Structure formats: C-alpha cells, structure tokens
Coordinates of all heavy atoms in Angstrom, one line a residue:
A104 N 0.8 -1.2 0.0 CA 0.0 0.0 0.0 C 0.9 1.2 0.0 O 2.0 1.2 0.5 CB -0.9 0.0 1.2
A105 N 0.3 2.3 -0.6 CA 1.0 3.6 -0.6 C 0.1 4.7 -0.3 O -1.1 4.6 -0.6 CB 1.7 3.8 -2.0
S106 N 0.6 5.7 0.3 CA -0.2 6.9 0.7 C 0.4 8.2 0.1 O 1.6 8.3 0.1 CB -0.4 6.9 2.2 OG -1.1 8.1 2.6
S107 N -0.5 9.1 -0.2 CA 0.0 10.5 -0.5 C 0.0 11.4 0.7 O 0.2 12.6 0.5 CB -0.9 11.1 -1.7 OG -2.2 11.1 -1.2
Q108 N -0.4 10.8 1.8 CA -0.4 11.7 3.1 C 0.8 11.3 3.9 O 1.0 10.2 4.3 CB -1.7 11.3 3.9 CG -3.0 11.5 3.0 CD -4.2 10.9 3.7 OE1 -4.1 10.6 4.9 NE2 -5.3 10.8 3.0
S109 N 1.6 12.3 4.3 CA 2.8 12.0 5.0 C 2.5 11.5 6.4 O 3.3 10.9 7.0 CB 3.7 13.3 5.1 OG 2.9 14.3 5.7
T110 N 1.3 11.7 6.9 CA 0.9 11.3 8.2 C 0.3 9.9 8.3 O 0.0 9.4 9.4 CB -0.2 12.3 8.8 OG1 -1.3 12.3 7.9 CG2 0.4 13.7 8.9
A111 N 0.2 9.2 7.2 CA -0.3 7.8 7.2 C 0.6 7.0 8.0 O 1.8 7.0 7.9 CB -0.4 7.3 5.8
T112 N 0.0 6.2 8.9 CA 0.7 5.3 9.8 C 0.3 3.9 9.7 O 0.6 3.2 8.8 CB 0.6 5.8 11.2 OG1 -0.8 5.9 11.6 CG2 1.3 7.2 11.4
L113 N -0.6 3.4 10.6 CA -0.9 2.0 10.8 C -2.3 1.6 10.2 O -2.5 0.4 10.2 CB -0.7 1.6 12.2 CG 0.5 2.0 12.9 CD1 0.6 1.5 14.3 CD2 1.8 1.6 12.1
S114 N -3.1 2.5 9.9 CA -4.5 2.2 9.6 C -4.6 2.1 8.1 O -4.1 3.0 7.3 CB -5.4 3.3 10.1 OG -6.7 3.0 9.7
D115 N -5.3 1.0 7.6 CA -5.4 0.8 6.2 C -6.2 1.9 5.5 O -6.0 2.2 4.3 CB -5.9 -0.6 5.8 CG -7.3 -0.8 6.4 OD1 -7.9 0.1 7.1 OD2 -7.8 -2.0 6.2
D116 N -7.1 2.6 6.2 CA -7.9 3.6 5.6 C -7.1 4.9 5.3 O -7.6 5.8 4.7 CB -9.1 3.9 6.3 CG -8.9 4.4 7.7 OD1 -7.7 4.7 8.1 OD2 -9.9 4.5 8.5
E117 N -5.8 4.9 5.7 CA -5.0 6.1 5.4 C -4.2 5.9 4.1 O -3.4 6.8 3.7 CB -4.0 6.3 6.6 CG -4.6 6.6 7.9 CD -3.6 6.7 9.1 OE1 -3.0 5.7 9.3 OE2 -3.5 7.8 9.6
Y118 N -4.3 4.8 3.5 CA -3.6 4.4 2.2 C -4.5 4.4 1.1 O -5.6 3.8 1.1 CB -2.9 3.1 2.4 CG -1.7 3.2 3.4 CD1 -2.0 3.1 4.8 CD2 -0.4 3.4 3.0 CE1 -1.0 3.2 5.7 CE2 0.6 3.5 4.0 CZ 0.3 3.4 5.3 OH 1.3 3.6 6.3
Q119 N -4.2 5.1 0.0 CA -5.0 5.3 -1.1 C -4.8 4.3 -2.3 O -5.6 4.1 -3.1 CB -4.9 6.8 -1.7 CG -5.3 7.8 -0.8 CD -4.3 8.2 0.3 OE1 -3.1 8.2 0.0 NE2 -4.7 8.5 1.5
Y120 N -3.6 3.8 -2.3 CA -3.2 2.9 -3.4 C -2.8 1.6 -2.9 O -2.1 1.4 -1.9 CB -2.0 3.5 -4.1 CG -2.2 5.0 -4.5 CD1 -1.6 6.0 -3.8 CD2 -3.0 5.3 -5.6 CE1 -1.8 7.4 -4.1 CE2 -3.3 6.7 -5.9 CZ -2.6 7.6 -5.2 OH -2.8 9.0 -5.6
W121 N -3.3 0.6 -3.6 CA -3.2 -0.8 -3.2 C -2.7 -1.8 -4.2 O -3.2 -1.6 -5.4 CB -4.5 -1.3 -2.5 CG -4.8 -0.7 -1.2 CD1 -5.5 0.5 -1.1 CD2 -4.5 -1.1 0.1 NE1 -5.6 0.8 0.2 CE2 -5.0 -0.1 1.0 CE3 -3.8 -2.2 0.6 CZ2 -4.8 -0.3 2.4 CZ3 -3.7 -2.3 1.9 CH2 -4.2 -1.4 2.8
G122 N -1.9 -2.7 -3.9 CA -1.6 -3.8 -4.8 C -2.8 -4.8 -4.9 O -3.7 -4.7 -4.1
Q123 N -2.7 -5.7 -5.8 CA -3.7 -6.7 -6.0 C -3.7 -7.8 -4.9 O -4.7 -8.6 -4.8 CB -3.6 -7.4 -7.4 CG -2.5 -8.4 -7.5 CD -1.1 -7.9 -7.6 OE1 -0.8 -6.7 -7.5 NE2 -0.2 -8.8 -8.0
G124 N -2.7 -7.9 -4.1 CA -2.6 -8.9 -3.1 C -1.9 -10.2 -3.6 O -2.1 -10.5 -4.8
T125 N -1.2 -10.8 -2.7 CA -0.5 -12.1 -3.1 C -0.6 -13.0 -1.9 O -0.5 -12.7 -0.7 CB 1.0 -11.8 -3.5 OG1 1.5 -13.0 -4.0 CG2 1.8 -11.3 -2.3
Q126 N -1.0 -14.2 -2.2 CA -1.2 -15.3 -1.2 C 0.1 -15.9 -0.7 O 1.0 -16.3 -1.4 CB -2.1 -16.4 -1.7 CG -2.4 -17.5 -0.8 CD -3.3 -17.1 0.4 OE1 -4.3 -16.5 0.2 NE2 -2.9 -17.5 1.7
I127 N 0.2 -15.8 0.7 CA 1.3 -16.6 1.3 C 0.6 -17.7 2.2 O -0.2 -17.4 3.0 CB 2.1 -15.6 2.3 CG1 2.7 -14.5 1.5 CG2 3.2 -16.4 3.1 CD1 3.8 -14.9 0.6
T128 N 1.1 -18.9 2.0 CA 0.6 -20.0 2.8 C 1.8 -20.7 3.4 O 2.8 -21.1 2.7 CB -0.1 -21.0 1.9 OG1 -1.2 -20.4 1.3 CG2 -0.7 -22.2 2.8

C-alpha cells in the first residue's frame, strides 16, 4: 500500500493505493 499523506501510519484507511494482493501459505 502507498499513501499520498505524510501522516499515514498503521491504519489501512490512510492508504489510497493498493496492490492486488498475493497469497502466502
């Protein structure tokens, strides 16, 4: 995830851009 807000920390709603996800088993 990536954010355009310098204050983004630990909450996922602070991040605007997301990858598609990759499975780890």
Side-chain angles (χ1 to χ4, degrees):
S106 178
S107 59
Q108 304 169 15
S109 61
T110 55
T112 54
L113 312 182
S114 177
D115 59 0
D116 60 8
E117 296 177 299
Y118 292 81
Q119 296 80 38
Y120 309 105
W121 291 85
Q123 78 278 14
T125 186
Q126 176 70 48
I127 302 292
T128 302

